[in-house]
Amino acid sequence: MAKQYTREEMKARMQATLDAGSPIVITGAGTGISAKFAELGGADMIGIYNSGLFRMDGKGSTGGLMPYANGNDLLLQLTHRVFPIVKEVPMIAGICGSDPTREMRPFLQELKFYGFSAVMNYPTVGGWRGKLRADIEACNLGVRKETETLVLAKELGFYTIAYAYDEEAAILAAQADIDIIICHLGMTVGGSTGSNLSGVQALADASQTGKKAPLDEAVDFVNALIGKIREINQEALCFAHGGPIATPEDAQYIYDRTDSVGFLGASSAERIPIEGPLTEAVRQFKSATIRRR
């Protein structure tokens, strides 16, 4: 069973990782086996949230942002599947903090009972745009409400993590003193989803065409958001996630050019790494020969 940590213990653990010169790595886990080997690989935190179920069922992480199921119900289902596998790594609950069907205080207390150490606002409407997003915010079911729930979680002793898809969300999280603010670049590309080229590999193609590579655009985006965060909050840890950041080399490119100190890998940690090897293993089994009878 996963070990539980207080917010102060979490802050100390994360700072110790940075003091050692290592980035903080969070992985998503849609199955127990993902969590098991993420812990073995040295993950600093493991997150459970509804997209993991869709991702590991081969349906894509975006399913977690759609009204196919209640995200908080799926979180609890995954908790029972993943928690017995983990030993020491702190666990993050990815919650729909704007869920109008739940009273958030008792729900957060339930998550504390299960042993979660941190809370994150996913699923989120942060990536939505236009009139639909405006209507959601007007009903107080949007990012502002998600941030209020993270503040409540912090008051209850949880370490807190916020996704920021835009400047408004980054400012809200910074003002709320959220512990980690993740600059979100959209759903991760690569592997069977989108281009097979990693962000770093695509740089060469971009240089030949004279266009700005997605990874360089990501650098600009992350720097802009971190700049806004630092105007308000000097203590929050800033991460990058998603979009063209699909491999360790891509993450290093971001570290070298921004003040990001960590990375959350979901598709990049539990989907993309298995697609090629699994396909090749089956292909090799199929290519074996048998004696004719």
Side-chain angles (χ1 to χ4, degrees), residues 72-95:
N72 291 327
D73 286 342
L74 291 183
L75 164 66
L76 295 179
Q77 292 177 30
L78 288 172
T79 297
H80 296 297
R81 294 169 60 179
V82 175
F83 256 68
I85 306 300
V86 180
K87 296 180 174 59
E88 295 289 332
V89 176
M91 300 298 292
I92 308 165
I95 67 168

Side-chain angles (χ1 to χ4, degrees), residues 114-129:
Y114 281 123
F116 284 100
S117 301
V119 171
M120 176 175 71
N121 67 323
Y122 194 94
T124 173
V125 301
W128 296 11
R129 297 289 181 266

Side-chain angles (χ1 to χ4, degrees), residues 6-280:
T6 67
R7 182 177 181 230
E8 292 307 313
E9 288 172 334
M10 289 292 293
K11 292 171 72 173
R13 285 175 67 92
M14 298 307 108
Q15 190 58 52
T17 296
L18 296 178
D19 290 345
S22 174
I24 297 167
V25 175
I26 301 172
T27 67
T31 64
I33 197 168
S34 297
K36 179 178 181 178
F37 289 104
E39 180 168 35
L40 187 63
D44 295 292
M45 286 181 270
I46 296 173
I48 304 175
Y49 43 97
N50 66 338
S51 274
L53 184 143
F54 290 100
R55 179 169 53 248
M56 298 313 289
D57 277 355
K59 300 177 177 68
S61 300
T62 307
L65 297 176
M66 300 299 290
Y68 302 141
N70 184 288
N72 291 327
D73 286 342
L74 291 183
L75 164 66
L76 295 179
Q77 292 177 30
L78 288 172
T79 297
H80 296 297
R81 294 169 60 179
V82 175
F83 256 68
I85 306 300
V86 180
K87 296 180 174 59
E88 295 289 332
V89 176
M91 300 298 292
I92 308 165
I95 67 168
C96 180
S98 61
D99 185 350
T101 69
R102 271 186 167 83
E103 185 64 36
M104 280 296 136
R105 182 177 291 272
F107 179 54
L108 289 167
Q109 290 170 333
E110 181 180 5
L111 298 178
K112 185 168 282 291
F113 169 78
Y114 281 123
F116 284 100
S117 301
V119 171
M120 176 175 71
N121 67 323
Y122 194 94
T124 173
V125 301
W128 296 11
R129 297 289 181 266
K131 186 178 184 302
L132 177 60
R133 168 72 179 277
D135 289 345
I136 291 172
E137 295 290 349
C139 294
N140 197 30
L141 296 174
V143 173
R144 188 171 297 277
K145 180 63 175 178
E146 294 171 15
T147 306
E148 290 173 1
T149 301
L150 289 178
V151 170
L152 176 58
K154 185 175 63 174
E155 292 171 356
L156 293 174
F158 286 103
Y159 193 71
T160 52
I161 302 165
Y163 272 138
Y165 286 80
D166 53 32
E167 183 178 304
E168 179 186 4
I171 290 172
L172 281 172
Q175 291 172 336
D177 193 28
I178 302 304
D179 297 300
I180 292 176
I181 304 174
I182 302 176
C183 303
H184 200 304
L185 293 143
M187 290 296 174
T188 304
V189 300
S192 63
T193 302
S195 170
N196 286 319
L197 292 178
S198 74
V200 166
Q201 291 171 322
L203 288 170
D205 287 356
S207 65
Q208 293 175 1
T209 62
K211 297 179 180 179
K212 200 161 196 174
L215 205 53
D216 283 327
E217 293 176 346
V219 167
D220 293 343
F221 176 81
V222 172
N223 280 329
L225 254 60
I226 292 179
K228 290 296 180 182
I229 293 166
R230 288 290 173 252
E231 290 175 6
I232 301 165
N233 188 320
Q234 293 294 318
E235 301 301 321
L237 303 179
C238 297
F239 285 26
H241 166 74
I245 313 173
T247 69
E249 293 78 15
D250 301 335
Q252 185 66 59
Y253 194 87
I254 298 294
Y255 295 143
D256 290 343
R257 292 161 179 80
T258 74
D259 288 332
S260 172
V261 297
F263 173 70
L264 187 150
S267 290
S268 54
E270 68 168 355
R271 173 179 65 81
I272 294 172
I274 69 168
E275 289 178 348
L278 180 56
T279 302
E280 185 57 28

